[in-house]
Amino acid sequence: MSGRRNLIWLGLTPEPERELPATVAALRTARRTADTPAGATEAERRRVERLILHGTQHGWLRYLAEVTGLVTAVASRTRPGDRRAALRAAEVMLDHHRMLIGLPGPGYDRTAADRSALERAVRTLRTAPPDGNRG
């Protein structure tokens, strides 16, 4: 590969870039999205922006894997958090990961385990009643 950065993966980022900062901030702070401190959301937005402007597809997928861990922990109730935020993040990432099949490279195969985990989390989050003070 040349010294130029591969940018094709950036075509998949608009929805995650728009949706994830608020939902991930809520998951990290274990608060409802509406109650998440603005500073936490802004910090997450800056992190996503840095990944998109200066990162690589590998770094972006590593970030999404980290968020998958947050989502699955909330879905399994091993971590407190806003279950609606977890569901929204899971749906956005699942759509993103499914679209990777159309891109060259190993991204689709690399996210196979995360796709499975997100599919299970979505099923759980859609069917389980929300926690009384977290959901």
Side-chain angles (χ1 to χ4, degrees), residues 1-96:
M1 186 164 134
S2 72
R4 293 186 316 177
R5 188 172 157 223
N6 180 344
L7 302 177
I8 197 163
W9 64 277
L10 292 173
L12 298 182
T13 62
E15 188 177 17
E17 181 180 0
R18 183 176 50 252
E19 297 287 334
L20 290 181
T23 58
V24 173
L27 296 175
R28 290 191 196 282
T29 61
R31 297 181 184 203
R32 292 177 189 242
T33 304
D35 298 332
T36 304
T41 300
E42 181 58 21
E44 202 63 39
R45 187 199 62 74
R46 282 192 311 270
R47 182 174 182 196
V48 167
E49 182 178 272
R50 274 191 311 276
L51 282 165
I52 290 169
L53 293 178
H54 306 291
T56 63
Q57 181 181 22
H58 185 71
W60 176 245
L61 294 178
R62 196 169 44 243
Y63 169 77
L64 295 180
E66 178 185 329
V67 177
T68 297
L70 293 171
V71 166
T72 57
V74 171
S76 67
R77 297 188 185 264
T78 59
R79 176 186 175 93
D82 182 342
R83 295 176 68 78
R84 286 178 295 223
L87 176 59
R88 183 64 189 140
E91 291 170 336
V92 167
M93 290 188 306
L94 196 51
D95 286 346
H96 175 279

Side-chain angles (χ1 to χ4, degrees), residues 117-133:
L118 290 166
E119 288 166 350
R120 285 189 304 275
V122 165
R123 279 193 304 273
T124 298
L125 292 163
R126 282 183 180 162
T127 59
D131 187 271
N133 57 4

